[in-house]
Amino acid sequence: MKKSCEKERERAQTIVLLLLEQYPQAACTLTHESPWELLVGGILASQCTDERVNKVTPVLFERYPDVEHLASANRDDVEDIVRSCGLYKSKAKALVNTSMMILDRFSGQVPRTREELMELPGVGRKIANLILGDAFGFQEIVVDTHCGRISRLLGFTKAESPLKIEQDLLEVVPKDSRTLWGHLMVAHGRAICRARCRMCFSCPIRLHCHYGAALELSYDVGEDDCV
Ligand code: SF4
């Protein structure tokens, strides 16, 4: 291992520990009780908040409690239920078709490999990694907008593409914290390192962050100010 890479791994490890102290409850924020429920939530969460999805899924699961019911659902009815999540026509179609494929190809079980998951309609690499990490316990990095943005600020990647960001992060994030990394980035992106208001001077990882460490506190900037 190159010495510089070793140092970056140590820096990533330190960041994980500090953020875990700050956000001890960091975890998947989509409510689910099974891989299938997480898969449904993941499809609905595209360009929608988890909070909104968590309001819709109880209604959906009340009407269609399992993969068999959703596979034979009336598409118009599903569209009505998921309408508030946005892109409701394509999401309803993906939910019904994914359920049918799980029944036909995977004996009613959500598949456990990325390749198989990505065959399902409406499922890309991000959702596949989410299922692998949070439903099946593998260590996978989910690159959403928070994760991409903050990982760039931290200096672990310069990339814009989620796949390249994931590849860069795989080099440095501790293997046993890959799933956690995504959750910590979301928690930090909502609380302190917000897209429109970074509170760097009250950030617990500022001195380990390339962007934050380069800042100089001036008399005009308070700890809770945006920079
Ligand atoms: S120091 Fe600033 S840019 Fe870096 S992680 Fe903290 S809030 Fe984000």
Side-chain angles (χ1 to χ4, degrees):
M1 190 198 307
K2 278 195 223 151
K3 211 169 177 188
S4 59
C5 197
E6 216 173 306
K7 278 199 156 180
E8 286 299 82
R9 287 184 188 198
E10 281 169 20
R11 186 164 72 91
Q13 172 81 68
T14 303
I15 288 170
V16 168
L17 293 174
L18 290 170
L19 288 182
L20 201 49
E21 260 178 46
Q22 183 85 9
Y23 312 109
Q25 312 292 336
C28 177
T29 49
L30 286 170
T31 308
H32 64 281
E33 290 182 1
S34 67
W36 181 71
E37 288 192 3
L38 184 57
L39 178 58
V40 170
I43 290 172
L44 290 175
S46 167
Q47 294 182 47
C48 178
T49 63
D50 291 357
E51 201 183 354
R52 163 61 32 206
V53 172
N54 289 339
K55 288 190 174 131
V56 167
T57 44
V59 181
L60 186 67
F61 296 144
E62 172 87 28
R63 187 83 60 96
Y64 304 106
D66 51 36
V67 67
E68 287 85 358
H69 283 84
L70 198 51
S72 55
N74 175 304
R75 180 98 60 84
D76 292 341
D77 186 44
V78 177
E79 284 181 8
D80 280 346
I81 296 171
V82 306
R83 187 178 297 263
S84 65
C85 294
L87 305 170
Y88 65 97
K89 281 187 182 289
S90 58
K91 287 181 182 177
K93 186 176 174 189
L95 289 176
V96 173
N97 289 348
T98 278
S99 303
M100 285 165 63
M101 192 187 256
I102 288 176
L103 272 188
D104 294 345
R105 278 213 48 202
F106 302 109
S107 313
Q109 301 298 313
V110 175
R112 298 171 71 99
T113 69
R114 184 185 292 121
E115 292 69 27
E116 289 172 323
L117 282 163
M118 288 176 66
E119 287 179 36
L120 300 171
V123 177
R125 191 177 179 95
K126 185 170 101 176
I127 298 178
N129 282 3
L130 174 78
I131 306 298
L132 293 170
D134 283 304
F136 294 133
F138 297 105
Q139 288 294 331
E140 299 292 350
I141 297 175
V142 173
V143 179
D144 71 347
T145 52
H146 290 298
C147 179
R149 181 174 56 78
I150 301 174
S151 299
R152 275 192 297 276
L153 290 164
L154 291 171
F156 289 128
T157 182
K158 290 188 169 75
E160 294 288 335
S161 109
L163 179 58
K164 181 67 174 73
I165 294 168
E166 184 185 328
Q167 288 167 342
D168 288 342
L169 290 174
L170 287 173
E171 295 285 322
V172 292
V173 173
K175 279 189 183 151
D176 61 357
S177 304
R178 288 174 176 171
T179 302
L180 180 62
W181 183 267
H183 300 322
L184 291 172
M185 294 295 108
V186 171
H188 198 46
R190 287 177 180 164
I192 292 177
C193 190
R194 301 185 208 135
R196 290 193 188 83
C197 171
R198 291 184 287 269
M199 297 190 295
C200 296
F201 291 107
S202 52
C203 176
I205 55 172
R206 183 169 76 85
L207 298 180
H208 307 278
C209 166
H210 282 190
Y211 181 90
L215 294 171
E216 283 181 25
L217 186 56
S218 81
Y219 289 116
D220 301 336
V221 183
E223 285 210 334
D224 291 334
D225 286 346
C226 304
V227 296

